[in-house]
PDB file of all heavy atoms in Angstrom:
ATOM      1  N   LYS Y 217      20.649  32.074  -2.672  1.00  0.00           N
ATOM      2  CA  LYS Y 217      20.285  32.897  -3.889  1.00  0.00           C
ATOM      3  C   LYS Y 217      21.422  32.700  -4.945  1.00  0.00           C
ATOM      4  O   LYS Y 217      22.495  32.751  -4.507  1.00  0.00           O
ATOM      5  CB  LYS Y 217      20.190  34.349  -3.504  1.00  0.00           C
ATOM      6  CG  LYS Y 217      18.924  34.617  -2.591  1.00  0.00           C
ATOM      7  CD  LYS Y 217      18.885  35.984  -2.155  1.00  0.00           C
ATOM      8  CE  LYS Y 217      17.815  36.202  -1.193  1.00  0.00           C
ATOM      9  NZ  LYS Y 217      17.981  37.389  -0.291  1.00  0.00           N
ATOM     10  N   ARG Y 218      21.043  32.479  -6.087  1.00  0.00           N
ATOM     11  CA  ARG Y 218      22.110  32.419  -7.150  1.00  0.00           C
ATOM     12  C   ARG Y 218      22.401  33.647  -7.899  1.00  0.00           C
ATOM     13  O   ARG Y 218      23.435  33.792  -8.515  1.00  0.00           O
ATOM     14  CB  ARG Y 218      21.508  31.448  -8.248  1.00  0.00           C
ATOM     15  CG  ARG Y 218      21.445  30.048  -7.735  1.00  0.00           C
ATOM     16  CD  ARG Y 218      21.026  29.099  -8.851  1.00  0.00           C
ATOM     17  NE  ARG Y 218      22.099  29.048  -9.742  1.00  0.00           N
ATOM     18  CZ  ARG Y 218      22.520  28.045 -10.477  1.00  0.00           C
ATOM     19  NH1 ARG Y 218      21.849  26.899 -10.384  1.00  0.00           N
ATOM     20  NH2 ARG Y 218      23.545  28.128 -11.364  1.00  0.00           N
ATOM     21  N   GLU Y 219      21.527  34.712  -7.675  1.00  0.00           N
ATOM     22  CA  GLU Y 219      21.693  35.961  -8.369  1.00  0.00           C
ATOM     23  C   GLU Y 219      21.698  37.219  -7.397  1.00  0.00           C
ATOM     24  O   GLU Y 219      21.061  37.064  -6.361  1.00  0.00           O
ATOM     25  CB  GLU Y 219      20.663  36.211  -9.395  1.00  0.00           C
ATOM     26  CG  GLU Y 219      20.737  35.159 -10.484  1.00  0.00           C
ATOM     27  CD  GLU Y 219      19.637  35.293 -11.539  1.00  0.00           C
ATOM     28  OE1 GLU Y 219      18.881  36.374 -11.506  1.00  0.00           O
ATOM     29  OE2 GLU Y 219      19.515  34.458 -12.427  1.00  0.00           O
ATOM     30  N   LEU Y 220      22.438  38.166  -7.728  1.00  0.00           N
ATOM     31  CA  LEU Y 220      22.416  39.403  -6.874  1.00  0.00           C
ATOM     32  C   LEU Y 220      22.364  40.623  -7.863  1.00  0.00           C
ATOM     33  O   LEU Y 220      23.030  40.608  -8.929  1.00  0.00           O
ATOM     34  CB  LEU Y 220      23.798  39.349  -6.155  1.00  0.00           C
ATOM     35  CG  LEU Y 220      24.143  40.631  -5.387  1.00  0.00           C
ATOM     36  CD1 LEU Y 220      23.267  40.733  -4.120  1.00  0.00           C
ATOM     37  CD2 LEU Y 220      25.541  40.590  -4.969  1.00  0.00           C
ATOM     38  N   ALA Y 221      21.667  41.640  -7.336  1.00  0.00           N
ATOM     39  CA  ALA Y 221      21.579  42.833  -8.072  1.00  0.00           C
ATOM     40  C   ALA Y 221      22.857  43.673  -7.791  1.00  0.00           C
ATOM     41  O   ALA Y 221      23.174  43.908  -6.681  1.00  0.00           O
ATOM     42  CB  ALA Y 221      20.346  43.637  -7.743  1.00  0.00           C
ATOM     43  N   LEU Y 222      23.583  43.932  -8.908  1.00  0.00           N
ATOM     44  CA  LEU Y 222      24.854  44.700  -8.744  1.00  0.00           C
ATOM     45  C   LEU Y 222      24.760  46.024  -8.075  1.00  0.00           C
ATOM     46  O   LEU Y 222      25.599  46.435  -7.292  1.00  0.00           O
ATOM     47  CB  LEU Y 222      25.509  44.847 -10.143  1.00  0.00           C
ATOM     48  CG  LEU Y 222      26.944  45.353 -10.152  1.00  0.00           C
ATOM     49  CD1 LEU Y 222      27.784  44.414  -9.350  1.00  0.00           C
ATOM     50  CD2 LEU Y 222      27.361  45.514 -11.611  1.00  0.00           C
ATOM     51  N   ASP Y 223      23.568  46.675  -8.239  1.00  0.00           N
ATOM     52  CA  ASP Y 223      23.373  47.949  -7.597  1.00  0.00           C
ATOM     53  C   ASP Y 223      23.380  47.806  -6.095  1.00  0.00           C
ATOM     54  O   ASP Y 223      23.755  48.767  -5.334  1.00  0.00           O
ATOM     55  CB  ASP Y 223      22.151  48.709  -8.113  1.00  0.00           C
ATOM     56  CG  ASP Y 223      20.889  47.935  -7.876  1.00  0.00           C
ATOM     57  OD1 ASP Y 223      20.922  46.675  -7.822  1.00  0.00           O
ATOM     58  OD2 ASP Y 223      19.817  48.596  -7.931  1.00  0.00           O
ATOM     59  N   LYS Y 224      22.849  46.693  -5.563  1.00  0.00           N
ATOM     60  CA  LYS Y 224      22.770  46.474  -4.121  1.00  0.00           C
ATOM     61  C   LYS Y 224      24.248  46.292  -3.627  1.00  0.00           C
ATOM     62  O   LYS Y 224      24.596  46.763  -2.504  1.00  0.00           O
ATOM     63  CB  LYS Y 224      21.883  45.275  -3.737  1.00  0.00           C
ATOM     64  CG  LYS Y 224      20.478  45.626  -3.914  1.00  0.00           C
ATOM     65  CD  LYS Y 224      19.630  44.443  -3.462  1.00  0.00           C
ATOM     66  CE  LYS Y 224      18.218  44.774  -3.595  1.00  0.00           C
ATOM     67  NZ  LYS Y 224      17.189  43.720  -3.221  1.00  0.00           N
ATOM     68  N   LEU Y 225      24.988  45.413  -4.324  1.00  0.00           N
ATOM     69  CA  LEU Y 225      26.368  45.188  -3.956  1.00  0.00           C
ATOM     70  C   LEU Y 225      27.279  46.401  -3.886  1.00  0.00           C
ATOM     71  O   LEU Y 225      27.995  46.629  -2.961  1.00  0.00           O
ATOM     72  CB  LEU Y 225      27.046  44.186  -4.988  1.00  0.00           C
ATOM     73  CG  LEU Y 225      28.451  43.936  -4.712  1.00  0.00           C
ATOM     74  CD1 LEU Y 225      28.756  43.160  -3.356  1.00  0.00           C
ATOM     75  CD2 LEU Y 225      29.011  43.101  -5.933  1.00  0.00           C
ATOM     76  N   LEU Y 226      27.062  47.438  -4.872  1.00  0.00           N
ATOM     77  CA  LEU Y 226      27.908  48.533  -4.872  1.00  0.00           C
ATOM     78  C   LEU Y 226      27.392  49.735  -4.154  1.00  0.00           C
ATOM     79  O   LEU Y 226      28.092  50.723  -3.948  1.00  0.00           O
ATOM     80  CB  LEU Y 226      28.124  48.976  -6.391  1.00  0.00           C
ATOM     81  CG  LEU Y 226      28.872  47.837  -7.144  1.00  0.00           C
ATOM     82  CD1 LEU Y 226      28.894  48.233  -8.613  1.00  0.00           C
ATOM     83  CD2 LEU Y 226      30.249  47.409  -6.669  1.00  0.00           C
ATOM     84  N   ALA Y 227      26.119  49.732  -3.708  1.00  0.00           N
ATOM     85  CA  ALA Y 227      25.442  50.889  -3.001  1.00  0.00           C
ATOM     86  C   ALA Y 227      26.275  51.102  -1.574  1.00  0.00           C
ATOM     87  O   ALA Y 227      26.476  50.258  -0.852  1.00  0.00           O
ATOM     88  CB  ALA Y 227      24.043  50.650  -2.755  1.00  0.00           C
ATOM     89  N   GLU Y 228      26.566  52.416  -1.438  1.00  0.00           N
ATOM     90  CA  GLU Y 228      27.208  52.817  -0.173  1.00  0.00           C
ATOM     91  C   GLU Y 228      26.294  52.611   1.124  1.00  0.00           C
ATOM     92  O   GLU Y 228      26.729  52.308   2.152  1.00  0.00           O
ATOM     93  CB  GLU Y 228      27.657  54.202  -0.228  1.00  0.00           C
ATOM     94  CG  GLU Y 228      28.811  54.476  -1.141  1.00  0.00           C
ATOM     95  CD  GLU Y 228      30.075  53.819  -0.668  1.00  0.00           C
ATOM     96  OE1 GLU Y 228      30.313  53.743   0.512  1.00  0.00           O
ATOM     97  OE2 GLU Y 228      30.964  53.309  -1.479  1.00  0.00           O
ATOM     98  N   ASP Y 229      24.950  52.862   0.791  1.00  0.00           N
ATOM     99  CA  ASP Y 229      23.950  52.787   1.958  1.00  0.00           C
ATOM    100  C   ASP Y 229      23.117  51.530   1.846  1.00  0.00           C
ATOM    101  O   ASP Y 229      21.987  51.534   2.358  1.00  0.00           O
ATOM    102  CB  ASP Y 229      23.093  54.018   1.915  1.00  0.00           C
ATOM    103  CG  ASP Y 229      22.291  54.206   0.666  1.00  0.00           C
ATOM    104  OD1 ASP Y 229      22.552  53.481  -0.273  1.00  0.00           O
ATOM    105  OD2 ASP Y 229      21.426  54.971   0.663  1.00  0.00           O
ATOM    106  N   SER Y 230      23.612  50.469   1.378  1.00  0.00           N
ATOM    107  CA  SER Y 230      22.798  49.274   1.129  1.00  0.00           C
ATOM    108  C   SER Y 230      22.287  48.670   2.376  1.00  0.00           C
ATOM    109  O   SER Y 230      21.320  47.853   2.283  1.00  0.00           O
ATOM    110  CB  SER Y 230      23.563  48.294   0.288  1.00  0.00           C
ATOM    111  OG  SER Y 230      24.692  47.771   1.072  1.00  0.00           O
ATOM    112  N   THR Y 231      22.868  48.931   3.549  1.00  0.00           N
ATOM    113  CA  THR Y 231      22.261  48.354   4.857  1.00  0.00           C
ATOM    114  C   THR Y 231      21.547  49.379   5.594  1.00  0.00           C
ATOM    115  O   THR Y 231      21.168  49.145   6.763  1.00  0.00           O
ATOM    116  CB  THR Y 231      23.451  47.856   5.656  1.00  0.00           C
ATOM    117  OG1 THR Y 231      24.358  48.932   5.938  1.00  0.00           O
ATOM    118  CG2 THR Y 231      24.267  46.798   4.980  1.00  0.00           C
ATOM    119  N   PHE Y 232      21.189  50.550   5.012  1.00  0.00           N
ATOM    120  CA  PHE Y 232      20.586  51.627   5.749  1.00  0.00           C
ATOM    121  C   PHE Y 232      19.235  51.189   6.297  1.00  0.00           C
ATOM    122  O   PHE Y 232      18.933  51.449   7.514  1.00  0.00           O
ATOM    123  CB  PHE Y 232      20.416  52.906   4.852  1.00  0.00           C
ATOM    124  CG  PHE Y 232      19.848  54.067   5.581  1.00  0.00           C
ATOM    125  CD1 PHE Y 232      20.579  54.782   6.411  1.00  0.00           C
ATOM    126  CD2 PHE Y 232      18.509  54.480   5.417  1.00  0.00           C
ATOM    127  CE1 PHE Y 232      20.106  55.819   7.190  1.00  0.00           C
ATOM    128  CE2 PHE Y 232      18.050  55.499   6.080  1.00  0.00           C
ATOM    129  CZ  PHE Y 232      18.704  56.286   6.940  1.00  0.00           C
ATOM    130  N   TYR Y 233      18.371  50.519   5.602  1.00  0.00           N
ATOM    131  CA  TYR Y 233      17.000  50.169   6.001  1.00  0.00           C
ATOM    132  C   TYR Y 233      16.948  48.772   6.570  1.00  0.00           C
ATOM    133  O   TYR Y 233      15.842  48.468   7.048  1.00  0.00           O
ATOM    134  CB  TYR Y 233      16.041  50.346   4.896  1.00  0.00           C
ATOM    135  CG  TYR Y 233      15.863  51.874   4.519  1.00  0.00           C
ATOM    136  CD1 TYR Y 233      16.348  52.232   3.284  1.00  0.00           C
ATOM    137  CD2 TYR Y 233      15.184  52.702   5.264  1.00  0.00           C
ATOM    138  CE1 TYR Y 233      16.247  53.617   2.878  1.00  0.00           C
ATOM    139  CE2 TYR Y 233      14.978  54.014   4.936  1.00  0.00           C
ATOM    140  CZ  TYR Y 233      15.582  54.449   3.657  1.00  0.00           C
ATOM    141  OH  TYR Y 233      15.328  55.765   3.401  1.00  0.00           O
ATOM    142  N   GLY Y 234      17.836  47.892   6.431  1.00  0.00           N
ATOM    143  CA  GLY Y 234      17.760  46.532   6.859  1.00  0.00           C
ATOM    144  C   GLY Y 234      18.718  46.325   8.060  1.00  0.00           C
ATOM    145  O   GLY Y 234      19.413  47.176   8.618  1.00  0.00           O
ATOM    146  N   ASP Y 235      18.912  45.040   8.371  1.00  0.00           N
ATOM    147  CA  ASP Y 235      19.802  44.650   9.485  1.00  0.00           C
ATOM    148  C   ASP Y 235      21.168  44.817   9.030  1.00  0.00           C
ATOM    149  O   ASP Y 235      21.540  44.490   7.903  1.00  0.00           O
ATOM    150  CB  ASP Y 235      19.436  43.119   9.747  1.00  0.00           C
ATOM    151  CG  ASP Y 235      20.014  42.715  11.098  1.00  0.00           C
ATOM    152  OD1 ASP Y 235      21.026  43.371  11.581  1.00  0.00           O
ATOM    153  OD2 ASP Y 235      19.676  41.650  11.615  1.00  0.00           O
ATOM    154  N   LEU Y 236      22.001  45.233   9.909  1.00  0.00           N
ATOM    155  CA  LEU Y 236      23.378  45.428   9.521  1.00  0.00           C
ATOM    156  C   LEU Y 236      24.145  44.117   9.396  1.00  0.00           C
ATOM    157  O   LEU Y 236      25.223  44.013   8.720  1.00  0.00           O
ATOM    158  CB  LEU Y 236      24.192  46.216  10.632  1.00  0.00           C
ATOM    159  CG  LEU Y 236      23.826  47.673  10.684  1.00  0.00           C
ATOM    160  CD1 LEU Y 236      24.504  48.391  11.800  1.00  0.00           C
ATOM    161  CD2 LEU Y 236      24.023  48.378   9.399  1.00  0.00           C
TER     162      LEU Y 236
END
Side-chain angles (χ1 to χ4, degrees):
K217 296 176 185 158
R218 295 183 64 142
E219 297 179 6
L220 172 72
L222 190 58
D223 59 337
K224 288 185 181 179
L225 174 65
L226 300 176
E228 289 292 326
D229 62 347
S230 64
T231 60
F232 185 74
Y233 292 107
D235 194 341
L236 292 176

